[in-house]
């Protein structure tokens, strides 16, 4: 008998205009339901709202919350079981259970379907330590004595859900702590929506004393919230009693209930109170066995209620979830009786452990708010041929079905990630590979430990086996890595004299672009920190774990991580084979677009020009169009300045700036009386790839070194003059900044094989926009004041030394080469043992004595070729 559909609206999913990604677990093939024979009907009690058709809202909501690939077959099963056109409804089962590991998304999928089916979503029961008889009759607190107060609190909650001023955080916390599962928080479209089921505040206490204490807690919480929020209480508002009401199974089937037609989720059924599962057997039989047409039970206030199979609404559906007993997370009390009693009639589906694709799916969905990887693979040939359509499709799904107010609340970072969808897919898949492979490190039985190369003690094996890397952990790590740590200064730069100075300028906060500019580096750094913290437990000694064991496993983990782009590969023979560094892949910078880079460069140059030239237009485009800067760069790239040591700098002459925003100037080994070019002018020119090559050639002034009378074959001399066979070089350039001489130190390593060119510049504090501009063009600017400055330089040096013979000699030679131009006579030995990064960032203790000078004297130039 076909179900009654008069109170439901019919939605078709998987048709030509509502394609759904699908995945075949047998072949691993990904495709889509998208055609006249593919549509699946879903019946819903939802209605059009805010001018948005319910069909659009439901389809977009499902797509934004699509489960990962291993769960897609189960989603299709649930959708088809809800479609009277695709199943024989007379033999239809209203029940399905899912057994499998935590975090794979069992409950998430069922809650999503419940939300699409009914405006109030699933009736949900966390079964942990619950008497399962409560699904028919539950004991609850009677709060009818506080109806006015409850209505006022609900109004405040609604206001907060809609973006207004709702309840204060302290009030929410009190309600959260006192009301238990009746306090409901739901994440939807990046927002937390709060509601309270006042009639469903469960009685947890077993004795009258415990129940009275619980009543007192609830009464005090309501009273305190009213006081906090200025809500006037009635005199009898403190009267709270105990009563019974129909359980969720009855309410969803009773046409007189406000919960009629809601799907039901029994979460973690395996953790129910022991001995109470038998109360479900007859009910489960009625739901799953078409030969059982009715069942009578006792509901709230001892009211008998009869379930008639033929009268259950089309949206009635009971799902339960559980974890398998074999994983020490479930209960054999669930596994055996249910399966043996009903056999194949009871639909219990086994969900696999998360696979590589599940990690990638969850990561891309976390980063963009849409199932980006599944959308891509479901139509890969189309998106490969039209990559711009992937961005357009993902953007449409992220915003579809939302009101204008909701669209404004979509996180901006998600939209920015969608704009670089191909990179986000690569990032997600590399991180998925990292997490999937790193799991083997925590399994002493894995192939990694076979052969006895790394032997572990029993204590350490036991510890590692307790580490669980599930999908929830993966998304939490991504969230935590997004936190921007505050900048730390070297001790030499710290001055406490300004403490408690009320006149001090307050610190500015970070804007979005700043926060995203280094997010890849932060993520990479956080993953390495997390790996170290987990593999080398802080209480290792207390646990009886040997330190050398931890270090061996950590080295193994770092190697695995590096091959997925997390961390640096040190060995020449360990090429990544197309894998990019996570930092490079995930760092976001709109300056990666050439037109944005030219515009930002122009703005910086014009702002500097205004400091010394009054009367310039406030409109930067009127001073010089960005197109003219781009044209000037192409013209300058064609001139030859190789006949004499020269570099490019930004032109600071307002009269000629419009015709030529850059100037070629001579470098000099002496000429103390000559005016120096501006530091930022040099950096601005260095940020232009077309000018950088020629500028780098003009930095290595040999005359300064020659004047010292040093042996030309000395490796330090070769490194200081860029004549070393290694190709490496380090030098110091003296410039002018804010009316004072300021040295900038440059380390250069040319491109070699697959390794890109390395240009590292060390100087004082610089405009954050200028540093971003340099970074976007491949130049690393290091503020010597930062506490991590030396480490940053050393990392670049170590990367350049990979694969080179006699690394120690080169490393020491770079330090010595730097000291040829810096440090007073006789101080060499004080710094000789330091790393290149330590000496290059010691601006407060090392004085330039033989730098190359960036003069303002124009260099002779001629057309190349």
């Amino acid at each position: 008998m076909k179900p009654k559909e008069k109170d439901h609206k019919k939605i078709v999913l998987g048709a030509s205009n509502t394609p759904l990604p699908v995945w075949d677990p047998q072949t691993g093939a990904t495709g889509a339901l998208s055609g006249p024979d593919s549509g699946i009907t879903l019946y819903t009690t939802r209605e059009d709202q805010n001018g948005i058709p319910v069909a659009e809202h439901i389809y977009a909501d499902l797509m934004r919350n699509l489960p990962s690939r291993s769960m897609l077959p189960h989603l299709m099963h649930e959708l088809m079981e809800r479609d009277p056109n695709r199943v024989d409804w007379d033999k239809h089962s209203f029940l399905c259970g899912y057994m499998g590991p935590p975090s794979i998304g069992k409950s998430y999928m069922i809650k999503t379907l419940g939300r699409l089916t009914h405006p109030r979503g699933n009736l949900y029961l966390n079964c942990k330590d619950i008497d399962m008889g409560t699904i028919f009759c539950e004991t609850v607190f009677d709060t009818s004595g506080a109806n006015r107060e409850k209505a006022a609190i609900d109004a405040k909650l609604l206001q907060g859900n809609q973006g207004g001023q709702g309840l204060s955080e302290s009030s929410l916390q009190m309600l959260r702590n006192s009301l238990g599962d009746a306090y409901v928080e739901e994440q939807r479209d990046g927002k937390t929506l709060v509601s309270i089921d006042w009639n469903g505040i469960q009685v947890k206490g077993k004795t009258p004393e415990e129940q009275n204490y619980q009543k007192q807690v609830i009464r005090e919480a309501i009273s305190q919230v009213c006081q906090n929020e200025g809500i006037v209480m009635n005199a009898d508002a403190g009267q709270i009693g105990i009563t019974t009401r129909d359980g969720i199974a009855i309410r969803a089937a009773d046409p007189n209930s406000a919960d009629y037609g809601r799907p039901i989720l029994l979460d973690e059924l395996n953790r129910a109170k022991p001995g109470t599962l038998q109360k479900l057997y007859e009910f489960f039989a009625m739901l799953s066995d078409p030969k059982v047409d009715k069942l009578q039970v006792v509901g709230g206030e001892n009211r008998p209620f009869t379930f008639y199979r033929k009268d259950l609404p089309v949206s009635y559906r009971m799902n339960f979830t559980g974890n398998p007993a074999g994983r020490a997370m479930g209960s054999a009390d669930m596994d055996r009786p249910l399966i043996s009693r009903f056999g194949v009639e009871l639909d219990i589906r086994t969900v696999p452990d998360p696979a590589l694709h599940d990690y990638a799916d969850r990561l891309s969905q976390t980063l963009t708010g849409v199932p980006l990887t599944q959308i891509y693979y479901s139509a890969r040939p189309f998106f490969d041929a039209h990559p711009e359509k992937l961005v357009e499709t993902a953007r449409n799904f992220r915003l579809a079905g939302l009101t204008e107010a909701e669209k404004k609340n979509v996180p901006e970072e998600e939209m920015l990630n969608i704009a670089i969808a191909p990179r986000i897919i690569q990032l997600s898949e590399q991180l998925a590979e990292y997490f999937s492979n790193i799991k083997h490190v925590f399994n002493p039985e894995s192939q990694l430990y076979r052969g006895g190369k790394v032997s572990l003690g029993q204590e350490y094996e036991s510890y590692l086996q307790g580490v669980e890397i599930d999908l929830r952990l993966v998304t939490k790590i991504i969230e935590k890595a997004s936190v921007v740590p505050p900048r730390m200064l070297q001790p030499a730069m710290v001055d406490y004299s300004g403490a408690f100075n009320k006149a001090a300028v307050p610190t500015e906060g970070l804007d979005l672009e700043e926060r995203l500019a280094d997010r890849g580096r932060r993520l990479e750094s956080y993953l390495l920190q997390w790996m170290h913290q987990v593999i080398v437990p802080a209480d290792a000694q207390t646990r009886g774990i040997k330190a050398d064991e931890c270090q061996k496993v950590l080295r193994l983990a770092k190697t695995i991580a590096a091959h997925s782009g997390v961390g640096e590969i040190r060995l020449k023979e360990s090429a990544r084979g197309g894998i990019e560094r996570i930092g490079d892949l995930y760092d976001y910078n709109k300056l990666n677009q050439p037109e944005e880079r030219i515009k930002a460069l122009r703005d910086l140059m014009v702002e500097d020009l205004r400091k010394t030239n009054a009367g310039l237009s406030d409109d930067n485009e009127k001073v010089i169009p960005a197109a003219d800067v781009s044209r000037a760069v192409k013209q300058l790239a064609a001139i030859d300045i190789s006949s004499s040591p020269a570099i490019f700098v930004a032109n600071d002459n307002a009269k000629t700036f419009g015709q030529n925003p850059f100037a070629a100037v001579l470098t000099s080994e002496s000429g103390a009386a000559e005016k120096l070019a501006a530091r930022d002018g040099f950096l601005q020119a260095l940020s232009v790839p077309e000018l950088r090559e020629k500028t780098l050639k003009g930095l290595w002034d040999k005359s300064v070194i020659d004047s010292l009378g040093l042996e030309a074959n000395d490796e330090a001399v070769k490194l200081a003059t860029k004549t070393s066979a290694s190709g490496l070089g380090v030098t110091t350039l003296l410039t002018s900044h804010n009316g004072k001489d300021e040295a900038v130190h440059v380390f250069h390593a040319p491109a070699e094989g697959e390794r890109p060119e390395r240009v590292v510049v060390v100087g004082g504090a610089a405009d954050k926009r200028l540093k971003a501009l340099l970074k976007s063009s491949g130049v690393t600017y290091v503020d010597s004041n930062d506490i991590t400055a030396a480490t940053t330089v050393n990392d670049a040096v170590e990367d350049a030394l990979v694969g080179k013979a006699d690394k120690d000699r080169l490393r020491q030679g770079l330090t010595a080469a730097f000291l040829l131009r810096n440090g007073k006579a006789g101080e060499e030995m004080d710094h000789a043992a330091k790393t290149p990064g330590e000496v290059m960032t010691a601006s407060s203790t090392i004085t330039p004595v033989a730098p190359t000078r960036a003069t303002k004297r124009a260099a002779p130039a001629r057309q190349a070729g």
Side-chain angles (χ1 to χ4, degrees), residues 42 44-46 57-58 60-62 64-66 82 108-122 186-189 193 263:
L42 178 72
T44 180
T45 57
R46 299 185 70 94
H57 179 86
I58 284 178
D61 197 353
L62 176 60
R64 280 193 290 271
N65 295 281
L66 202 68
R82 287 166 161 81
Y108 182 84
M109 176 190 74
I110 296 165
K111 287 179 179 179
T112 296
L113 289 170
R115 190 171 64 249
L116 305 184
T117 306
H118 194 284
R120 298 178 65 191
N122 286 289
E186 181 184 355
Q187 296 295 325
R188 193 180 301 176
D189 295 325
L193 305 182

Side-chain angles (χ1 to χ4, degrees), residues 781-802:
Y781 187 82
V782 180
D783 185 339
S784 60
N785 300 324
D786 288 347
I787 200 168
T788 59
T791 301
T792 303
V793 175
N794 284 333
D795 286 346
V797 170
E798 292 305 314
D799 182 52
L801 293 178
V802 172

Side-chain angles (χ1 to χ4, degrees), residues 39 68 146 163 190 215 252 274 298 344 409 532 583 594 626 794 808:
S68 62
K215 282 195 290 186
V298 177
V344 295
N409 287 325
H532 187 280
N794 284 333
D808 289 339

Side-chain angles (χ1 to χ4, degrees), residues 221-279:
I222 294 175
S223 173
Q224 188 61 53
V225 168
C226 289
Q227 183 176 336
N228 287 354
E229 308 297 331
I231 299 171
V232 179
M233 291 189 66
N234 285 333
D236 60 347
Q239 300 304 313
I240 296 178
I242 294 177
T243 185
T244 60
R245 70 166 181 171
D246 291 338
I248 55 177
I250 294 177
R251 300 204 305 273
D254 185 355
N256 298 315
S257 169
D259 292 323
Y260 178 65
R262 292 178 68 182
I264 299 167
L265 171 57
L266 306 179
D267 204 12
E268 296 195 85
L269 183 61
N270 54 290
R271 298 196 176 198
K273 191 174 181 179
T276 66
L277 283 175
Q278 70 270 19
K279 297 180 182 181

Side-chain angles (χ1 to χ4, degrees), residues 447-725:
Q447 192 70 34
L448 291 174
Y449 296 101
R450 292 179 184 173
K453 291 183 179 180
V454 180
S455 59
L456 306 178
Q458 184 176 352
E459 295 81 2
Y460 197 26
E461 280 195 9
S462 178
Y463 167 78
L464 290 177
Q465 287 172 333
V467 178
E468 188 77 26
I469 302 180
D470 60 28
L471 293 179
R472 289 173 297 197
L473 173 66
V474 169
T475 53
K476 286 295 180 186
I477 285 178
I478 293 291
E479 292 170 7
K480 290 182 178 179
S482 68
V483 177
V484 184
R487 178 187 177 195
M488 294 176 64
L489 298 181
Q490 294 194 48
M493 301 305 300
V494 177
D495 180 2
Y496 279 97
S497 63
F500 308 110
N501 183 359
K502 296 181 180 179
V505 178
T507 303
E508 294 183 5
L510 296 171
D511 59 28
L512 181 66
E513 286 190 23
E514 286 181 277
R515 188 168 63 79
L516 302 187
D518 295 311
R519 65 180 183 177
R521 301 291 170 187
R522 291 199 308 273
L523 174 57
E524 209 177 309
S525 175
Y526 186 85
L527 287 170
L528 292 171
Q529 289 176 32
W530 167 79
M531 201 163 60
H532 187 280
Q533 290 169 358
V534 176
I535 293 174
V536 186
D539 58 348
Q541 187 174 358
T542 304
R543 292 174 179 268
I545 297 172
K546 297 178 181 178
D548 63 327
E549 291 180 348
C550 297
Q551 292 303 320
K552 288 179 183 178
V553 174
L554 183 61
R555 285 194 293 272
L556 181 65
K558 284 183 175 180
T559 301
I560 292 172
H563 282 280
S564 298
V566 180
E568 188 56 67
I569 289 182
R570 302 295 187 189
L571 301 177
K572 185 177 181 181
E573 60 270 23
S574 300
R576 286 198 175 96
I579 299 295
E580 291 189 44
R581 280 287 293 267
I582 293 299
D584 297 332
L585 197 59
Y586 191 41
D587 281 352
Y588 182 85
N589 194 341
K590 71 176 184 180
L591 298 177
N592 289 329
Q593 304 171 38
E595 62 275 11
E596 290 289 343
R597 190 160 57 240
I598 286 293
K599 182 181 176 182
L601 175 62
R602 185 276 313 275
D603 291 344
L604 283 169
M605 290 194 296
V606 172
E607 287 177 24
D608 284 348
L609 200 63
R610 284 200 187 95
K611 295 175 183 176
T612 55
N613 297 272
L616 289 181
S617 171
D618 291 336
D619 186 344
N620 292 349
E621 189 70 9
K622 288 183 179 179
V623 176
I624 182 170
D628 286 359
V629 176
S630 183
R631 186 162 46 251
V633 166
K634 293 177 182 177
Q635 293 171 349
L636 286 171
I639 70 170
D640 181 11
I641 56 172
S642 60
S643 57
S644 57
I647 61 174
F648 282 109
V649 296
N651 189 356
D652 61 359
N653 187 330
K655 294 179 180 179
T656 59
F657 183 84
Q659 291 75 40
N660 195 350
F662 295 98
V665 299
L666 290 173
T667 56
S668 169
E669 75 281 6
S670 57
E674 285 189 295
K675 290 185 177 181
L676 296 174
R679 182 201 70 177
D680 289 358
F682 163 70
L683 295 175
Q684 289 159 7
L686 197 66
S687 73
V688 182
E690 295 90 340
L691 306 183
R692 184 164 63 242
E693 181 181 358
K694 292 180 172 128
T695 292
L696 287 173
K697 289 181 179 178
L699 289 178
W700 316 99
D701 180 27
K702 299 179 178 60
S703 59
V704 177
I705 301 299
D706 291 343
S707 67
L708 299 176
L710 300 174
E711 176 60 47
N713 290 326
D714 185 275
E715 185 64 23
V717 174
K718 292 180 179 180
L719 290 168
T721 56
K722 202 68 164 50
T723 56
S724 168

Side-chain angles (χ1 to χ4, degrees), residues 19 49 72 103 131 150 195 301 344 389 541 754 795 806 854:
Q49 282 190 335
L72 278 183
S103 88
D131 183 328
K150 292 187 299 183
S195 61
E301 299 179 345
V344 295
K389 290 294 184 181
Q541 187 174 358
E754 294 186 359
D795 286 346
D806 204 357

